[in-house]
Amino acid sequence: MSGVGSARDLNVPPRTQVAIIGAGPAGLVLAHLLHLQGIDSVILESHSREHCEQRIRAGFLEEGSASLLESIGLGDRLRREGLVHRAFVFRLLGEDHRIALGDLTDGRGMTIYGQEELVKDLIAARRATGRPLAFQTPVQACSQIDGHEPVVVYRHNDEVWELRCDVIAGCDGFHGPSRAAVKPTAYTRQCPIAWLGVLAAVPPTIEEIVYAWHNRGFALHSVRSPQLSRLHLQCAPDEDLNQWSDERIWDELDARLSRRDGVTLDRGPILQKAVIPLRSFVAEPMGRGRLLLAGDAAHIVPPTGAKGLNLAIADVHALSQTLGRWYARRDDALLEDYSRRRLRHVWQVERFSAWMTSVLHRFPQHDDFDRKLQVAELRHVCSSPSAARALAESYVGLDSSRDLPAEHQLVAVD
Ligand code: APR
Ligand code: PHB
């Protein structure tokens, strides 16, 4: 059966102020920021609550992201359980070079808190507001986005429903349907490499985050909690996971992360493994008419810079401010400004993520000269205080373009 109206068993009304597509970090944080401004919203999510709460993704929060979450009452568990790191290590041919983030910035660092834990906190906070959050409601289409009352068409239990609203927030990730309705120009760079990401039930052997440059390819040692290690190995985009036994993974990690003193990693059961593509993508503009994009729906950064979650949070912070002003003034030019305001920062983060990716990985097209240049570049940032400071500022998220008012942003020349 199909119908026009609302899926009442889900507590979804036929109309709302802001229709949010996607219950990832972008959609959930946006919903909370709007709630605090008294703006109503409905979140439609294609997957189940369990799926959203168990999806292992990144988990690196810049100080600005963590402070924002704290300031809106979502930081209790994050501050209690998050692991703060004020340094990281470049392991170059087995030799450690420490980048002291705290000393190189105004004491800043990164908080490690699994994205799945953050999503659990955000879903609980949404539930506590009593405002609608509907799972297993895949959105099929966004229509009438150039008019005054856009419509979101979604499915639930084999029925088709419509949600009318003032504005649609497309927070539906890279594969969601909202970007297609905007018809943006897509700027894409596909990398010929990927990561084999592993979650292991073993206390991290090394206290700090280690980015290893190695002739066998890049490796990353990271943490999720005092009991959980997060590890990555550069691999091929079509890598067959069946070829990677736990033993082979640990052997390869040891080979790439080995130190000159021969210290090896403590091993433990591997709980999850996955191939993570490395790609860069930006949609310009980040919206059209009454449909605005945020998070992975609008851009993707390769994970090397650990920036995806922070970009998503910065987007929805700006979007919530835009919508607050729009409800006060009803001036549609404000909605157009949102994209201009965000893109300058987005491109800075793309620049940093592409740089981290290009200096640390072994690329198929690289010859020995390119590899020597990578080592020289890494030695330069580790030994020059001004280069190290510039790197640290980007790493902790002190990008100069972040909070520039719209009138100071570069406007695209057609
Ligand atoms: N209808 C409803 N929901 C949808 C649809 C659809 N048709 N398509 C996708 N979604 C949902 C997905 O199921 C997902 O829960 O949108 C959500 C998008 O969430 P994320 O992919 O986590 O994207 P975002 O919220 O922008 O967060 C970006 O996630 O991928 C990581 O590294 C990235 O940390 C960054 C963060
Ligand atoms: C991670 O812990 O998953 C992680 C850490 C640092 C990065 C990227 C990912 O740069």
Side-chain angles (χ1 to χ4, degrees):
M1 191 189 113
S2 288
V4 173
S6 61
R8 287 190 203 290
D9 59 320
L10 289 169
N11 183 31
V12 176
R15 197 185 191 294
T16 186
Q17 290 182 293
V18 181
I20 300 175
I21 312 175
L28 290 162
V29 173
L30 176 64
H32 201 74
L33 289 165
L34 295 178
H35 163 72
L36 294 177
Q37 296 182 80
I39 300 172
D40 201 10
S41 65
V42 168
I43 310 177
L44 298 171
E45 163 59 48
S46 54
H47 287 101
S48 66
R49 179 173 183 170
E50 295 67 40
H51 176 94
C52 295
E53 291 186 340
Q54 279 156 27
R55 208 166 24 191
I56 303 288
R57 308 286 268 281
F60 255 53
L61 289 166
E62 295 169 355
E63 193 59 45
S65 307
S67 308
L68 174 71
L69 293 168
E70 199 170 25
S71 72
I72 59 174
L74 298 174
D76 287 357
R77 202 158 69 91
L78 164 70
R79 287 295 185 205
R80 241 187 1 259
E81 296 176 20
L83 304 170
V84 178
H85 283 241
R86 297 196 199 284
F88 71 80
V89 168
F90 279 135
R91 186 161 290 173
L92 188 49
L93 298 167
E95 193 181 278
D96 282 358
H97 300 266
R98 196 163 178 272
I99 302 289
L101 299 169
D103 298 344
L104 291 163
T105 64
D106 53 357
R108 290 184 188 226
M110 300 291 275
T111 302
I112 303 179
Y113 187 62
Q115 187 168 307
E116 67 287 357
E117 299 305 321
L118 179 62
V119 166
K120 281 179 204 158
D121 298 347
L122 295 170
I123 290 176
R126 176 66 177 183
R127 286 283 190 238
T129 67
R131 297 196 195 261
L133 162 56
F135 291 100
Q136 292 168 314
T137 52
V139 168
Q140 294 187 315
C142 303
S143 64
Q144 298 170 48
I145 61 170
D146 294 317
H148 293 293
E149 192 177 60
V151 180
V152 176
V153 180
Y154 65 99
R155 291 187 77 82
H156 180 60
N157 287 344
D158 293 329
E159 291 182 77
V160 178
W161 302 99
E162 287 184 0
L163 173 63
R164 291 174 183 276
C165 57
D166 297 324
V167 176
I168 303 172
C171 303
D172 44 350
F174 185 65
H175 300 287
S178 63
R179 190 173 58 251
V182 171
K183 300 193 185 78
T185 301
Y187 296 91
T188 308
R189 178 167 291 172
Q190 196 73 38
C191 273
I193 51 175
W195 282 6
L196 198 175
V198 160
L199 189 68
V202 60
T205 312
I206 316 165
E207 265 184 28
E208 290 180 326
I209 309 301
V210 178
Y211 296 86
W213 184 99
H214 199 278
N215 280 319
R216 297 175 69 92
F218 170 69
L220 170 62
H221 176 284
S222 179
V223 305
R224 275 296 172 275
S225 74
Q227 289 77 38
L228 282 177
S229 299
R230 179 79 170 144
L231 301 138
H232 296 279
L233 285 169
Q234 175 185 343
C235 65
D238 57 354
E239 196 75 41
D240 179 3
L241 282 179
N242 294 322
Q243 302 298 315
W244 286 86
S245 63
D246 286 14
E247 196 188 2
R248 181 175 172 210
I249 291 174
W250 285 115
D251 286 349
E252 192 60 32
L253 284 165
D254 265 338
R256 297 189 197 180
L257 281 160
S258 63
R259 259 193 354 206
R260 288 237 167 105
D261 60 14
V263 173
T264 55
L265 298 172
D266 293 337
R267 299 187 176 198
I270 289 182
L271 305 177
Q272 284 193 21
K273 54 185 172 186
V275 174
I276 303 162
L278 263 63
R279 64 165 96 85
S280 307
F281 170 82
V282 181
E284 286 199 23
M286 285 171 55
R288 198 186 96 204
R290 295 290 183 90
L291 168 52
L292 302 177
L293 304 173
D296 279 11
H299 38 67
I300 297 283
V301 281
T304 330
K307 291 291 174 206
L309 181 54
N310 298 289
L311 265 187
I313 292 174
D315 280 352
V316 296
H317 188 205
L319 181 51
S320 72
Q321 291 174 333
T322 293
L323 291 171
R325 288 185 201 119
W326 185 79
Y327 274 107
R329 306 219 302 260
R330 297 279 177 169
D331 176 0
D332 283 357
L334 289 166
L335 302 182
E336 284 165 34
D337 270 351
Y338 161 74
S339 174
R340 270 198 290 278
R341 208 177 143 189
R342 287 301 302 140
L343 279 168
R344 184 159 166 168
H345 178 227
V346 167
W347 278 109
Q348 282 302 320
V349 178
E350 291 286 353
R351 175 198 62 77
F352 170 68
S353 304
W355 180 83
M356 286 283 280
T357 304
S358 71
V359 289
L360 285 166
H361 293 84
R362 188 182 178 103
F363 289 91
Q365 71 273 22
H366 272 182
D367 59 17
D368 288 349
F369 195 90
D370 294 305
R371 303 283 292 156
K372 293 271 185 196
L373 283 182
Q374 285 182 317
V375 173
E377 178 75 14
L378 286 166
R379 290 222 161 100
H380 170 64
V381 290
C382 295
S383 57
S384 152
S386 52
R389 181 162 295 112
L391 163 67
E393 284 174 359
S394 293
Y395 195 90
V396 301
L398 285 175
D399 292 292
S400 53
S401 57
R402 168 172 256 175
D403 297 317
L404 277 184
E407 59 271 24
H408 294 163
Q409 305 274 334
L410 280 184
V411 179
V413 180
D414 293 323

PDB file of all heavy atoms in Angstrom, residues 29-30 33 37 68 312-322 338 341 403:
ATOM      1  N   VAL A  29      23.757  15.878  15.381  1.00  0.00           N
ATOM      2  CA  VAL A  29      24.224  17.114  16.039  1.00  0.00           C
ATOM      3  C   VAL A  29      23.379  18.295  15.560  1.00  0.00           C
ATOM      4  O   VAL A  29      22.979  19.152  16.354  1.00  0.00           O
ATOM      5  CB  VAL A  29      25.734  17.357  15.781  1.00  0.00           C
ATOM      6  CG1 VAL A  29      26.160  18.712  16.328  1.00  0.00           C
ATOM      7  CG2 VAL A  29      26.568  16.244  16.428  1.00  0.00           C
ATOM      8  N   LEU A  30      23.065  18.313  14.266  1.00  0.00           N
ATOM      9  CA  LEU A  30      22.230  19.405  13.747  1.00  0.00           C
ATOM     10  C   LEU A  30      20.880  19.421  14.474  1.00  0.00           C
ATOM     11  O   LEU A  30      20.411  20.487  14.902  1.00  0.00           O
ATOM     12  CB  LEU A  30      22.005  19.242  12.241  1.00  0.00           C
ATOM     13  CG  LEU A  30      21.061  20.277  11.631  1.00  0.00           C
ATOM     14  CD1 LEU A  30      21.639  21.686  11.745  1.00  0.00           C
ATOM     15  CD2 LEU A  30      20.748  19.952  10.163  1.00  0.00           C
ATOM     16  N   LEU A  33      21.271  20.996  17.851  1.00  0.00           N
ATOM     17  CA  LEU A  33      21.506  22.451  17.784  1.00  0.00           C
ATOM     18  C   LEU A  33      20.202  23.182  17.443  1.00  0.00           C
ATOM     19  O   LEU A  33      19.926  24.269  17.978  1.00  0.00           O
ATOM     20  CB  LEU A  33      22.575  22.760  16.733  1.00  0.00           C
ATOM     21  CG  LEU A  33      24.008  22.347  17.120  1.00  0.00           C
ATOM     22  CD1 LEU A  33      24.918  22.341  15.897  1.00  0.00           C
ATOM     23  CD2 LEU A  33      24.560  23.293  18.186  1.00  0.00           C
ATOM     24  N   GLN A  37      17.525  25.867  19.748  1.00  0.00           N
ATOM     25  CA  GLN A  37      17.018  27.168  19.262  1.00  0.00           C
ATOM     26  C   GLN A  37      15.496  27.146  19.141  1.00  0.00           C
ATOM     27  O   GLN A  37      14.905  28.083  18.585  1.00  0.00           O
ATOM     28  CB  GLN A  37      17.613  27.490  17.888  1.00  0.00           C
ATOM     29  CG  GLN A  37      19.126  27.663  17.897  1.00  0.00           C
ATOM     30  CD  GLN A  37      19.648  28.027  16.509  1.00  0.00           C
ATOM     31  OE1 GLN A  37      19.575  29.182  16.086  1.00  0.00           O
ATOM     32  NE2 GLN A  37      20.144  27.060  15.789  1.00  0.00           N
ATOM     33  N   LEU A  68      32.348  22.273  21.386  1.00  0.00           N
ATOM     34  CA  LEU A  68      30.977  22.538  20.934  1.00  0.00           C
ATOM     35  C   LEU A  68      30.023  21.504  21.542  1.00  0.00           C
ATOM     36  O   LEU A  68      28.974  21.864  22.093  1.00  0.00           O
ATOM     37  CB  LEU A  68      30.896  22.496  19.401  1.00  0.00           C
ATOM     38  CG  LEU A  68      29.461  22.611  18.859  1.00  0.00           C
ATOM     39  CD1 LEU A  68      28.913  24.029  19.071  1.00  0.00           C
ATOM     40  CD2 LEU A  68      29.373  22.237  17.385  1.00  0.00           C
ATOM     41  N   ALA A 312      32.144  17.436   9.515  1.00  0.00           N
ATOM     42  CA  ALA A 312      30.691  17.264   9.622  1.00  0.00           C
ATOM     43  C   ALA A 312      30.138  18.136  10.756  1.00  0.00           C
ATOM     44  O   ALA A 312      29.105  18.809  10.605  1.00  0.00           O
ATOM     45  CB  ALA A 312      30.353  15.789   9.866  1.00  0.00           C
ATOM     46  N   ILE A 313      30.851  18.166  11.886  1.00  0.00           N
ATOM     47  CA  ILE A 313      30.385  18.958  13.035  1.00  0.00           C
ATOM     48  C   ILE A 313      30.472  20.460  12.722  1.00  0.00           C
ATOM     49  O   ILE A 313      29.561  21.229  13.040  1.00  0.00           O
ATOM     50  CB  ILE A 313      31.174  18.569  14.309  1.00  0.00           C
ATOM     51  CG1 ILE A 313      30.798  17.142  14.726  1.00  0.00           C
ATOM     52  CG2 ILE A 313      30.913  19.556  15.449  1.00  0.00           C
ATOM     53  CD1 ILE A 313      31.612  16.573  15.878  1.00  0.00           C
ATOM     54  N   ALA A 314      31.559  20.863  12.056  1.00  0.00           N
ATOM     55  CA  ALA A 314      31.698  22.292  11.701  1.00  0.00           C
ATOM     56  C   ALA A 314      30.593  22.705  10.714  1.00  0.00           C
ATOM     57  O   ALA A 314      30.038  23.806  10.811  1.00  0.00           O
ATOM     58  CB  ALA A 314      33.076  22.551  11.106  1.00  0.00           C
ATOM     59  N   ASP A 315      30.262  21.825   9.777  1.00  0.00           N
ATOM     60  CA  ASP A 315      29.169  22.131   8.837  1.00  0.00           C
ATOM     61  C   ASP A 315      27.860  22.396   9.568  1.00  0.00           C
ATOM     62  O   ASP A 315      27.178  23.390   9.320  1.00  0.00           O
ATOM     63  CB  ASP A 315      28.891  20.922   7.910  1.00  0.00           C
ATOM     64  CG  ASP A 315      29.872  20.803   6.763  1.00  0.00           C
ATOM     65  OD1 ASP A 315      30.686  21.719   6.558  1.00  0.00           O
ATOM     66  OD2 ASP A 315      29.804  19.776   6.061  1.00  0.00           O
ATOM     67  N   VAL A 316      27.489  21.457  10.432  1.00  0.00           N
ATOM     68  CA  VAL A 316      26.153  21.597  11.033  1.00  0.00           C
ATOM     69  C   VAL A 316      26.104  22.723  12.057  1.00  0.00           C
ATOM     70  O   VAL A 316      25.036  23.296  12.302  1.00  0.00           O
ATOM     71  CB  VAL A 316      25.615  20.268  11.616  1.00  0.00           C
ATOM     72  CG1 VAL A 316      25.412  19.262  10.499  1.00  0.00           C
ATOM     73  CG2 VAL A 316      26.495  19.709  12.712  1.00  0.00           C
ATOM     74  N   HIS A 317      27.272  23.057  12.622  1.00  0.00           N
ATOM     75  CA  HIS A 317      27.295  24.229  13.499  1.00  0.00           C
ATOM     76  C   HIS A 317      26.925  25.475  12.675  1.00  0.00           C
ATOM     77  O   HIS A 317      26.055  26.263  13.052  1.00  0.00           O
ATOM     78  CB  HIS A 317      28.685  24.370  14.126  1.00  0.00           C
ATOM     79  CG  HIS A 317      28.748  25.417  15.183  1.00  0.00           C
ATOM     80  ND1 HIS A 317      29.899  26.053  15.522  1.00  0.00           N
ATOM     81  CD2 HIS A 317      27.780  25.958  15.970  1.00  0.00           C
ATOM     82  CE1 HIS A 317      29.658  26.937  16.469  1.00  0.00           C
ATOM     83  NE2 HIS A 317      28.380  26.902  16.760  1.00  0.00           N
ATOM     84  N   ALA A 318      27.602  25.612  11.513  1.00  0.00           N
ATOM     85  CA  ALA A 318      27.305  26.753  10.632  1.00  0.00           C
ATOM     86  C   ALA A 318      25.860  26.686  10.127  1.00  0.00           C
ATOM     87  O   ALA A 318      25.161  27.708  10.058  1.00  0.00           O
ATOM     88  CB  ALA A 318      28.276  26.755   9.449  1.00  0.00           C
ATOM     89  N   LEU A 319      25.407  25.472   9.800  1.00  0.00           N
ATOM     90  CA  LEU A 319      24.048  25.332   9.262  1.00  0.00           C
ATOM     91  C   LEU A 319      22.994  25.714  10.305  1.00  0.00           C
ATOM     92  O   LEU A 319      21.995  26.374   9.994  1.00  0.00           O
ATOM     93  CB  LEU A 319      23.843  23.888   8.771  1.00  0.00           C
ATOM     94  CG  LEU A 319      22.502  23.534   8.154  1.00  0.00           C
ATOM     95  CD1 LEU A 319      22.108  24.529   7.072  1.00  0.00           C
ATOM     96  CD2 LEU A 319      22.543  22.122   7.559  1.00  0.00           C
ATOM     97  N   SER A 320      23.242  25.342  11.550  1.00  0.00           N
ATOM     98  CA  SER A 320      22.260  25.677  12.591  1.00  0.00           C
ATOM     99  C   SER A 320      22.207  27.195  12.800  1.00  0.00           C
ATOM    100  O   SER A 320      21.140  27.771  13.031  1.00  0.00           O
ATOM    101  CB  SER A 320      22.587  24.966  13.904  1.00  0.00           C
ATOM    102  OG  SER A 320      23.728  25.537  14.495  1.00  0.00           O
ATOM    103  N   GLN A 321      23.377  27.848  12.691  1.00  0.00           N
ATOM    104  CA  GLN A 321      23.381  29.319  12.824  1.00  0.00           C
ATOM    105  C   GLN A 321      22.628  29.954  11.655  1.00  0.00           C
ATOM    106  O   GLN A 321      21.835  30.887  11.831  1.00  0.00           O
ATOM    107  CB  GLN A 321      24.823  29.831  12.851  1.00  0.00           C
ATOM    108  CG  GLN A 321      25.561  29.437  14.108  1.00  0.00           C
ATOM    109  CD  GLN A 321      27.036  29.823  14.051  1.00  0.00           C
ATOM    110  OE1 GLN A 321      27.628  29.926  12.981  1.00  0.00           O
ATOM    111  NE2 GLN A 321      27.634  30.018  15.214  1.00  0.00           N
ATOM    112  N   THR A 322      22.874  29.422  10.458  1.00  0.00           N
ATOM    113  CA  THR A 322      22.185  29.930   9.269  1.00  0.00           C
ATOM    114  C   THR A 322      20.666  29.791   9.441  1.00  0.00           C
ATOM    115  O   THR A 322      19.904  30.728   9.160  1.00  0.00           O
ATOM    116  CB  THR A 322      22.633  29.121   8.025  1.00  0.00           C
ATOM    117  OG1 THR A 322      24.006  29.404   7.797  1.00  0.00           O
ATOM    118  CG2 THR A 322      21.831  29.489   6.795  1.00  0.00           C
ATOM    119  N   TYR A 338      25.386  29.954   3.214  1.00  0.00           N
ATOM    120  CA  TYR A 338      25.883  28.798   3.976  1.00  0.00           C
ATOM    121  C   TYR A 338      26.996  28.088   3.200  1.00  0.00           C
ATOM    122  O   TYR A 338      28.063  27.792   3.742  1.00  0.00           O
ATOM    123  CB  TYR A 338      24.727  27.843   4.291  1.00  0.00           C
ATOM    124  CG  TYR A 338      25.185  26.455   4.657  1.00  0.00           C
ATOM    125  CD1 TYR A 338      25.774  26.195   5.894  1.00  0.00           C
ATOM    126  CD2 TYR A 338      25.059  25.383   3.760  1.00  0.00           C
ATOM    127  CE1 TYR A 338      26.218  24.908   6.220  1.00  0.00           C
ATOM    128  CE2 TYR A 338      25.502  24.113   4.077  1.00  0.00           C
ATOM    129  CZ  TYR A 338      26.074  23.879   5.303  1.00  0.00           C
ATOM    130  OH  TYR A 338      26.524  22.624   5.616  1.00  0.00           O
ATOM    131  N   ARG A 341      30.193  30.106   2.964  1.00  0.00           N
ATOM    132  CA  ARG A 341      30.831  30.165   4.274  1.00  0.00           C
ATOM    133  C   ARG A 341      31.620  28.882   4.553  1.00  0.00           C
ATOM    134  O   ARG A 341      32.707  28.923   5.117  1.00  0.00           O
ATOM    135  CB  ARG A 341      29.698  30.300   5.293  1.00  0.00           C
ATOM    136  CG  ARG A 341      30.059  30.994   6.553  1.00  0.00           C
ATOM    137  CD  ARG A 341      28.826  31.125   7.424  1.00  0.00           C
ATOM    138  NE  ARG A 341      29.219  30.949   8.803  1.00  0.00           N
ATOM    139  CZ  ARG A 341      28.384  30.824   9.804  1.00  0.00           C
ATOM    140  NH1 ARG A 341      27.078  30.830   9.583  1.00  0.00           N
ATOM    141  NH2 ARG A 341      28.814  30.690  11.028  1.00  0.00           N
ATOM    142  N   ASP A 403      36.217  30.451  10.714  1.00  0.00           N
ATOM    143  CA  ASP A 403      35.134  31.291  11.220  1.00  0.00           C
ATOM    144  C   ASP A 403      35.024  32.637  10.521  1.00  0.00           C
ATOM    145  O   ASP A 403      34.460  33.578  11.056  1.00  0.00           O
ATOM    146  CB  ASP A 403      35.306  31.505  12.735  1.00  0.00           C
ATOM    147  CG  ASP A 403      35.200  30.176  13.453  1.00  0.00           C
ATOM    148  OD1 ASP A 403      34.301  29.395  13.084  1.00  0.00           O
ATOM    149  OD2 ASP A 403      36.019  29.906  14.331  1.00  0.00           O
TER     150      ASP A 403
END
